[in-house]
Amino acid sequence: MTDATATQRPARAQVAPAVIGFATVTATLLLAELLIQIGAINRYIVPPPSEVIEAFRQIVVEEHIFRRFLLTAAECLTAGVMLTLCGVASGVLMHRFRLLQRACETWVAAMASAPLVLMYPLFLVIFGRNALTIIMMGFIAGLPPVILKTIEGITATRKVLVDVGRSFNLNATQQFWKILFPAALPTIFVGVRLGLIFALINVVGTEFLINYGGLGQLITDLAERYDLAGTYAAICVVILVSVLFFMALERIERWLRPVD
Amino acid sequence: MAETGRLRGAAAAGPLIGPVTLLRAAIILGVLALWEFLAHSGWLYRDVVPSLSAIARALVALLLQGEYYFNLGVTAGEIGMGLLIGGSAGLVVGIVLGANRFLSKAFEPYLYYLGPTPKIIFLPIAIMWFGVDTPSKIALGTFSCFFPITLSVAAGMRQIDPVLIRVGQSFRANTLQMVLKIYLPAMRHPIINGLRLGFGFALIGTLLAETRLSNKGIGFLIIRAYDTFNMPRMYAMLIVLFVLAIGVNALIGHLGGLERIRRA
């Protein structure tokens, strides 16, 4: 009995903040609903949450949200595969040729801090107003973290592991595939996770800006029709999708990380 | 998102003399030569890859133009205001969340998961709330930089050496004194790192909002160059913008002594 209460107490300590957090969000929404219904907030600027919830049905049935989601997901996945392959390959190449790493690593780091998404008008001219522009925007935005984390991961391989490889007389290729790459994998995935997050942000952002494609375009579309509740609902859907995507990536990363 | 800060650690590598410089020069020259070749090859649509001389002329014309500096000032003002409002709010919320475990557990997950979502999609809401002019751009900049700054400050608060906090308490410092004398000095590095990340996000939020709907600012100039198909000018503006963004980013890091901690 005492054991049971002892385990219940930490569980309650874990649950209580989550309940308070959720209750605050719910209370804020209810308060907004009330203020809008009594006219204290203009309903033509902020639609009542109840209307936004209702608009979800409209988005699912009339706006083909699932098809749009698949389109955005496909663009993201393509950008993700491209940035993983190119990023890891560039990182490995730069690690293999140290001179290249010393010459270019600073450039890649600088690229990571440049507002690359501002290049979308340029990409529109080069690739046209199509999915390729969106994919390429996702690709270049996500590339720098993958390259940098790949280099970091391979460089940080523990010396004892490298020595094990040497003592088995592995050649350079075997050393890479059997020792360096598996050891670097968790760090590389941190880069891929960041890259994918940047890719998703830029894919949805570009869809919104160039009014083409999946989820991002839906927001532009509804906002231009001045469908207020629909716009808010579509934004909520995009946020939800991003958050779920982010959580899934975190879970995979935790699964990949070795237990020390 | 905080990992992006760590990525910058790589920027401290490499001396500027010898084979590295030679290789860098070779890469730059190679890229420029390839560019010029493509510009004259006729393989691409005319002006998609303008010749280097055209870009250089556009760059000089841009830098000599008064209109450019006016628009640069507008954008800088919007980013500055966004950073000021979002940064102040982020600092306060970050300190509160960092100081209180319960509040942190209750609300930080929301901020943590909302942080890496695309902020530009909030533009229709910003326009409805604040109109089509400057305030909606500031709102988007504010909203973009709030999350990284809050999370960075909250994480910084939790990393403060408990000894320092006990010193403050043993001097019977009140809350304001604790914030000013203990918390802020002890976590200047996370704050500056948050500010650096926040600057990047505010810049992107503000400029993207300008490209979408505005009549002044750098974003507006870029999209006008696109509308009039003035490619050399667009390249020139992107070059200047990237140099400025990377420069300010490095400057904030340098002033905050971030490079020094990373090397240590």
Side-chain angles (χ1 to χ4, degrees):
Chain A
M1 195 66 191
T2 341
D3 279 357
T5 41
T7 47
Q8 268 167 8
R9 206 172 299 140
R12 203 180 297 156
Q14 288 290 322
V15 170
V19 170
I20 293 290
F22 185 73
T24 313
V25 174
T26 315
T28 312
L29 290 175
L30 287 174
L31 183 69
E33 177 82 29
L34 182 75
L35 290 174
I36 297 163
Q37 294 296 356
I38 62 169
I41 296 177
N42 186 343
R43 66 189 302 131
Y44 297 106
I45 294 178
V46 187
S50 55
E51 274 181 28
V52 176
I53 292 169
E54 235 167 81
F56 278 109
R57 195 194 56 80
Q58 172 212 337
I59 287 185
V60 173
V61 179
E62 292 168 25
E63 307 294 345
H64 314 289
I65 194 84
F66 193 63
R67 212 169 61 201
R68 285 173 182 276
F69 166 74
L70 287 181
L71 184 59
T72 302
E75 287 163 352
C76 240
L77 191 70
T78 315
V81 170
M82 281 163 63
L83 66 88
T84 305
L85 291 178
C86 293
V88 174
S90 310
V92 170
L93 202 70
M94 281 165 75
H95 175 264
R96 179 75 184 73
F97 301 100
R98 291 297 162 90
L99 190 63
L100 192 67
Q101 183 186 342
R102 282 166 63 198
C104 300
E105 201 175 351
T106 320
W107 290 350
V108 180
M111 193 177 143
S113 67
L116 295 173
V117 64
L118 259 301
M119 284 167 71
Y120 85 88
L122 187 65
F123 278 44
L124 270 180
V125 174
I126 298 173
F127 301 110
R129 192 165 154 270
N130 52 40
L132 189 59
T133 294
I134 298 171
I135 292 168
M136 290 309 285
M137 280 313 305
F139 167 66
I140 61 152
L143 198 56
V146 183
I147 299 178
L148 294 175
K149 285 286 168 187
T150 303
I151 297 174
E152 189 188 311
I154 300 178
T155 312
T157 305
R158 281 189 296 158
K159 199 173 170 298
V160 60
L161 294 176
V162 178
D163 289 344
V164 169
R166 284 220 186 97
S167 68
F168 276 104
N169 268 337
L170 299 183
N171 62 32
T173 318
Q174 286 170 324
Q175 178 83 352
F176 176 75
W177 285 113
K178 307 264 180 205
I179 307 284
L180 293 176
F181 189 71
L185 204 56
T187 316
I188 293 177
F189 191 77
V190 174
V192 173
R193 179 172 70 86
L194 283 171
L196 281 170
I197 290 169
F198 291 161
L200 177 73
I201 292 176
N202 281 276
V203 161
V204 175
T206 313
E207 281 180 348
F208 169 79
L209 289 162
I210 70 172
N211 196 7
Y212 185 92
L215 294 173
Q217 196 252 338
L218 177 62
I219 298 172
T220 311
D221 210 24
L222 292 166
E224 281 175 3
R225 275 191 258 152
Y226 211 74
D227 181 346
L228 219 51
T231 308
Y232 277 70
I235 291 173
C236 289
V237 169
V238 173
I239 298 294
L240 195 69
V241 168
S242 316
V243 169
L244 290 177
F245 182 66
F246 187 33
M247 283 175 158
L249 287 175
E250 255 189 345
R251 186 150 288 197
I252 299 173
E253 189 187 318
R254 217 171 299 147
W255 178 68
L256 272 175
R257 193 177 298 153
V259 184
D260 285 327
Chain B
M1 274 303 163
E3 282 97 321
T4 47
R6 260 171 261 153
L7 296 175
R8 292 282 301 139
L16 283 169
I17 41 159
V20 175
T21 317
L22 276 176
L23 182 62
R24 282 181 175 169
I27 292 174
I28 293 172
L29 284 176
V31 169
L32 292 181
L34 185 71
W35 184 278
E36 198 62 21
F37 171 73
L38 275 176
H40 292 286
S41 66
W43 293 348
L44 299 165
Y45 289 118
R46 199 174 67 83
D47 278 352
V48 166
V49 180
S51 71
L52 293 173
S53 58
I55 296 177
R57 273 199 304 276
L59 196 60
V60 172
L62 188 73
L63 293 175
L64 292 176
Q65 206 177 37
E67 186 201 10
Y68 181 72
Y69 293 99
F70 165 74
N71 286 291
L72 188 64
V74 169
T75 301
E78 287 168 354
I79 295 172
M81 276 303 284
L83 209 51
L84 187 71
I85 303 170
S88 315
L91 192 64
V92 173
V93 175
I95 288 177
V96 171
L97 291 183
N100 189 315
R101 277 179 68 86
F102 187 85
L103 289 179
S104 158
K105 277 189 181 162
F107 298 110
E108 218 171 303
Y110 291 95
L111 298 176
Y112 178 72
Y113 286 111
L114 277 177
T117 53
K119 299 295 174 310
I120 183 65
I121 57 167
F122 287 91
L123 184 64
I125 296 183
I127 289 173
M128 284 172 211
W129 288 17
F130 302 104
V132 291
D133 211 5
T134 307
S136 57
K137 316 296 175 294
I138 296 176
L140 213 64
T142 303
F143 191 58
S144 304
C145 72
F146 171 74
F147 294 94
I149 294 180
T150 306
L151 293 172
S152 193
V153 171
M157 272 293 279
R158 285 191 285 269
Q159 281 161 13
I160 294 179
D161 190 345
V163 173
L164 295 176
I165 295 175
R166 277 206 294 278
V167 168
Q169 284 164 345
S170 65
F171 275 105
R172 296 200 171 186
N174 60 34
T175 310
L176 185 69
Q177 285 170 327
M178 283 297 283
V179 169
L180 292 178
K181 306 271 181 196
I182 306 284
Y183 297 154
L184 288 182
M187 55 177 190
R188 62 190 182 284
H189 293 308
I191 291 177
I192 288 163
N193 199 31
L195 198 67
R196 209 167 48 76
L197 289 172
F199 165 75
F201 283 88
L203 176 88
I204 290 175
T206 309
L207 278 157
L208 284 184
E210 281 179 356
T211 63
R212 179 78 196 184
L213 189 69
S214 70
N215 57 5
K216 52 183 180 289
I218 298 298
F220 164 69
L221 289 186
I222 291 176
I223 212 69
R224 201 176 59 180
Y226 166 74
D227 288 338
T228 54
F229 205 66
N230 190 342
M231 292 302 285
R233 187 173 159 87
M234 200 201 289
Y235 279 107
M237 275 192 291
L238 286 174
I239 291 169
V240 177
L241 179 66
F242 283 9
V243 168
L244 285 177
I246 293 169
V248 171
N249 194 302
L251 190 72
I252 299 176
H254 181 73
L255 289 178
L258 291 182
E259 304 292 347
R260 279 201 300 283
I261 333 173
R262 297 244 158 76
R263 274 181 210 162

